[in-house]
Amino acid sequence: MNNIFNNSDFYPTPQEVIYKMLQHYDVNGKVILEPSAGKGDIIDILISEGAKDILFCEKSEPLQKILNGKGRFLNADFLQVTSDQISHINAIIMNPPFSEGVKHVLHAYEIAPKGATIISLINSSNLKNDYTNERKQLKTIVESFGTVTDL
C-alpha cells in the first residue's frame, strides 16, 4: 500500500503557521472552506477556535477518511467547486498543494462570495517570479486587495 503521506504536494501545516495565518481573522462562529484539507491540521485549529461550520475538499480518499467527522466533505477537487456551492461561507483558509497554489488562490478569488476572506499559504516565488499570466494575475489581485506576510 502507498504511504498516503509520501506525496510531493503533501505539506502538513505546522500549528504555529496556522495561528500566524489566523492572527488577523477571528473564525469564531464563521463558516469556513478548507480546499485542500490534507489530514486536517487547519481544520483542527478552526474547530478549536470556534468555527461554526467547516466544509472541505481533499483528493486523497485515505485522507478523506481521516477527515471524516471533522467537517463536511464538499468535493474531492477544489478546482471543480462552484460559487453557488459556497455562497454562504465567510472565508476560505488553505495551504494548497504547492504545485497548484496559484490556481487554487485564483479559483478561490473567482468563486468566493462577496465579502469573504481568503487566507492562503503559498510559496513566495509565486509572487516574486511573475513569469506566467496566472502569476501576474495573482500578483495584481494581492497588490489590489490583499496583504503578504513572509513566514
Side-chain angles (χ1 to χ4, degrees), residues 91-116:
I92 299 172
I93 301 175
M94 63 181 158
N95 177 5
F98 279 10
S99 68
E100 293 186 334
V102 174
K103 286 181 182 179
H104 274 65
V105 176
L106 291 176
H107 187 66
Y109 181 75
E110 181 182 312
I111 66 169
K114 184 175 174 128

Side-chain angles (χ1 to χ4, degrees), residues 136-147:
K136 287 176 185 168
Q137 183 182 3
L138 176 64
K139 186 175 184 177
T140 299
I141 290 168
V142 170
E143 287 173 349
S144 299
F145 304 107
T147 60

Side-chain angles (χ1 to χ4, degrees), residues 2-83:
N2 258 344
N3 182 344
I4 59 175
F5 304 113
N6 190 16
N7 174 331
S8 62
D9 267 338
F10 182 73
Y11 291 94
T13 314
Q15 275 193 346
E16 62 273 10
V17 171
I18 299 167
Y19 283 113
K20 183 96 170 159
M21 291 169 68
L22 297 176
Q23 71 182 352
H24 300 294
Y25 186 74
D26 181 8
V27 302
N28 188 45
K30 305 274 177 54
V31 179
I32 312 288
L33 169 61
E34 213 292 37
S36 299
K39 64 182 181 65
D41 295 322
I42 292 174
I43 290 175
D44 290 341
I45 290 179
L46 294 174
I47 291 168
S48 74
E49 293 296 313
K52 175 181 171 184
D53 193 16
I54 300 166
L55 300 136
F56 70 88
C57 300
E58 176 51 53
K59 285 184 177 182
S60 164
E61 288 184 21
L63 291 174
Q64 289 172 14
K65 290 177 183 169
I66 290 172
L67 295 164
N68 189 30
K70 291 186 178 192
R72 291 189 295 137
F73 178 76
L74 183 61
N75 193 313
D77 186 357
F78 170 63
L79 298 176
Q80 300 300 312
V81 173
T82 60
S83 58

